[in-house]
Amino acid sequence: MNDIKKSNSKEIGEKIEIFVNPTWVSDDFIVDFVKKCFEVPRKQGITFPACHIDSDFVKKIRASGAVVVAQIGPDVVACSLVVFQRCGFLLSKQRMNISVDCVDPAFSRMGISSKLTSFVLEMAEEKKCSYAYLSTSLDSSININRRLKNGFYRWRINSYSGTSYYSILFRKNFYND
C-alpha cells in the first residue's frame, strides 16, 4: 500500500528516519528483525504471537497495511506492522491493528518506540480510521505505561491459543460517531 504517506519517509529528531513499505527491506529481514527483538522474553518462557511470524505474514501485512521501519543511519532500529481493517455497521468504517511494534534491544529506552507509535497513529488518522488497537503483555509495565501516555486505554484482556501469553488489548479512538 503505497498511498499511506505522500512522502516515503519522515524525519523525527535529528537521527531517526521512518519509512513506510521501504522496498530495500525484505520480508525475511523483517521476520528476522522481529524475532531478534523478542528473543530475550522468549528465552524467559514468554511466547509472544510475534515470535511466530513468517515472510507470508509480512507479505499479507504489506498487501492490507504497511511495514513501517525506523532507521538510524543505515541501521533498522524499530518496526511496526500495521493492518487496516473494515469495521462497524455494514463494514462502513476502518480501523488500524498494530500487530507488531518492536525495537532492537540495542536501541531500547531511547524513545524510538513512542515516536514510531505516534507516526503510525498519524497514518491511522490520515486514513480516517475510527480507532487503532494493539496488545501488550500483562507483565510489561513499561509498555503499558507507554500505551497510556500515547492516549490508548485498556480495552480488554486477550489470550492466545497454544501459548502462555496473555495481553492487554489497548485502543485509541479518533472519531466519535
Side-chain angles (χ1 to χ4, degrees):
M1 197 176 233
N2 293 327
D3 64 338
I4 292 173
K5 293 301 261 183
K6 297 217 186 311
S7 168
N8 203 22
S9 68
K10 180 176 182 181
E11 194 170 335
I12 296 180
E14 295 180 79
K15 298 181 179 180
I16 301 169
E17 287 186 302
I18 296 178
F19 299 92
V20 179
N21 289 329
T23 56
W24 62 90
V25 178
S26 72
D27 297 343
D28 289 332
F29 176 87
I30 294 296
V31 170
D32 293 341
F33 181 82
V34 169
K35 289 183 178 184
K36 176 174 108 175
C37 291
F38 290 103
E39 190 174 309
V40 171
R42 198 180 54 178
K43 286 180 180 177
Q44 296 170 344
I46 302 170
T47 307
F48 290 92
C51 295
H52 302 290
I53 72 166
D54 58 18
S55 59
D56 288 337
F57 178 80
V58 177
K59 280 181 182 62
K60 288 177 187 174
I61 295 289
R62 285 187 195 267
S64 62
V67 173
V68 183
V69 298
Q71 285 187 250
I72 296 178
D75 298 320
V76 172
V77 296
C79 80
S80 285
L81 305 179
V82 300
V83 177
F84 297 100
Q85 304 165 322
R86 303 302 306 165
C87 66
F89 183 69
L90 298 176
L91 302 177
S92 61
K93 298 178 183 174
Q94 189 164 232
R95 66 184 178 186
M96 173 190 273
N97 174 12
I98 304 171
S99 61
V100 175
D101 177 36
C102 62
V103 176
D104 183 325
F107 293 90
S108 64
R109 306 242 190 242
M110 295 174 63
I112 295 168
S113 183
S114 291
K115 291 174 184 173
L116 187 59
T117 300
S118 294
F119 183 88
V120 297
L121 292 176
E122 286 177 22
M123 289 173 49
E125 287 188 271
E126 288 175 11
K127 296 290 277 181
K128 305 278 189 249
C129 292
S130 296
Y131 64 92
Y133 69 100
L134 55 83
S135 66
T136 296
S137 171
L138 284 172
D139 300 324
S140 181
S141 60
I142 292 169
N143 285 325
I144 290 169
N145 290 332
R146 184 166 35 97
R147 303 304 181 209
L148 295 171
K149 286 179 185 175
N150 281 328
F152 286 88
Y153 65 90
R154 290 178 179 95
W155 190 18
R156 62 181 181 220
I157 302 292
N158 270 357
S159 64
Y160 299 85
S161 73
T163 72
S164 60
Y165 181 68
Y166 292 88
S167 67
I168 300 172
L169 198 59
F170 285 90
R171 177 174 164 156
K172 180 173 182 164
N173 296 328
F174 298 112
Y175 305 103
N176 293 329
D177 297 343

